[in-house]
Each structure stands twice: as structure tokens, then as C-alpha cells.
Amino acid sequence: LHAQPVPLLSAGSYGVLGGSTVTNTGPTTVIGDLGLSPGSAVTGFPPGSVTGTIHVTDGPAAQAQVDLTTAYGDAAGRTGAVTLTLGDIGGQTLTPGVYTTGSTPSLGITGPLTLDGQGNANAIFIFQIASTLTTASNSTVLLTNGAQAANVFWQVGTSATLGTGSIFNGTILGQSSITLTTGAILNGRALAR
């Protein structure tokens, strides 16, 4: 039913994509391209490094933002979602599917969240979060039984913040801002409109 990943198109080559600013402090490594459009302020590279190309207010960055808008709408529009009844899903094990925050607009993750691919390397996980996503310090999103970071999508209505030392998997599609605090590891993409 929901077997298709969210189509990122050109935004898929970006480890970080922003709309207004991209700010870094410390020895961050961005895997893939770094892009910004329509803003023009990218700071902190160096000491941060980028394995791909930096695109600031150019054609590729502008196209990536168009594609991000499409991807965000695709993720938000997936139907048949399971409503998460708790505002914190740390300590749970979830199977492939679409999940929504429902009447609890914000989502937190404390402790380990396990995403169980059930032996399917193509298993898709989509999270529709109406407002904010916040992970606690040292929390983890674990992938088991074939689950792949490339097939996990977090559609966030406002801002996402990954806590100090947290380990997170998947692509964050953020409406406004994405913040990774000290020592946070994102195995995926941070794409903000």
C-alpha cells in the first residue's frame, strides 16, 4: 500500500539543505552536497567539511528546494497512517508504515526507538509530525531486520532538534528548521524548506 519511498529527486543528493541559513560550529562532516536557497548565509565551513558540492543561491539549490517542497507534500499526503497515541515514542518498536502524531502535534524520542524492517530491505517508514520533533540526549533510532535509513522519512511541520549525542536515522523534511546539537549523528539527510 505504501511501498514507495518519498521521491526526493534532486534534493536526494544533499546531506544538508536550507532555505534561509545554514550554520555550523565544530568539526561537522556533511555527507553529500550542502545547499541553501533562497538564503545566502552559510557559515562554519570550515571547520565543518562537505564531501559533495556547496550550492548557495544557485540553480541546483533552487531546484533542490522545489523538489523538497514536492517531497514534503508527498510525505504529508500519505494516507492510512497509524496514529501515535503517545507524544514520546522512545522505547517502542515500530514496523513499516505511515505514522501520524494526530491530536498530539509534537513528537519526542527518549531512549531507543527501534524501526523493524521485518526482513525487507525496501521497508518504508514515514512519520507525519504536525509540529516539532525533539530527541533527547543520547537517544537512538535503531534500524533492525533490514530497515534502511534511506527508506525512513520524518515530515516535520515546524522544527526538528536532535539532542546532544543522539543517533538518528532517516531523512528529515523540515518546514522551518533542523538543529543538530553537539555530538548528534544523523545517518540520513537534513532538508529544511
Side-chain angles (χ1 to χ4, degrees):
L1 178 63
H2 301 288
Q4 297 301 314
V6 174
L8 298 176
L9 305 174
S10 72
S13 71
Y14 289 80
V16 172
L17 179 63
S20 58
T21 61
V22 173
T23 304
N24 172 66
T25 58
T28 303
T29 300
V30 174
I31 307 297
D33 295 339
L34 184 151
L36 180 66
S37 180
S40 59
V42 174
T43 58
F45 295 91
S49 62
V50 178
T51 64
T53 303
I54 297 176
H55 295 280
V56 179
T57 317
D58 62 4
Q63 184 59 52
Q65 278 290 351
V66 169
D67 292 342
L68 171 57
T69 299
T70 301
Y72 184 94
D74 179 284
R78 298 288 177 108
T79 59
V82 173
T83 300
L84 298 167
T85 57
L86 300 173
D88 187 323
I89 57 173
Q92 295 189 32
T93 297
L94 301 175
T95 55
V98 180
Y99 296 89
T100 184
T101 53
S103 62
T104 306
S106 295
L107 188 64
I109 301 173
T110 57
L113 167 66
T114 302
L115 302 181
D116 182 351
Q118 299 183 315
N120 181 359
N122 296 313
I124 305 296
F125 296 83
I126 297 174
F127 294 87
Q128 300 168 334
I129 303 163
S131 183
T132 60
L133 168 65
T134 306
T135 70
S137 295
N138 302 313
S139 63
T140 54
V141 174
L142 304 170
L143 304 177
T144 63
N145 295 324
Q148 304 288 320
N151 293 329
V152 180
F153 302 91
W154 306 83
Q155 177 257 316
V156 182
T158 56
S159 61
T161 303
L162 304 186
T164 302
S166 61
I167 299 172
F168 194 84
N169 280 285
T171 295
I172 302 171
L173 306 168
Q175 179 64 29
S176 59
S177 68
I178 301 170
T179 303
L180 279 67
T181 57
T182 303
I185 296 172
L186 171 60
N187 178 23
R189 299 173 185 87
L191 309 177
R193 299 172 66 195

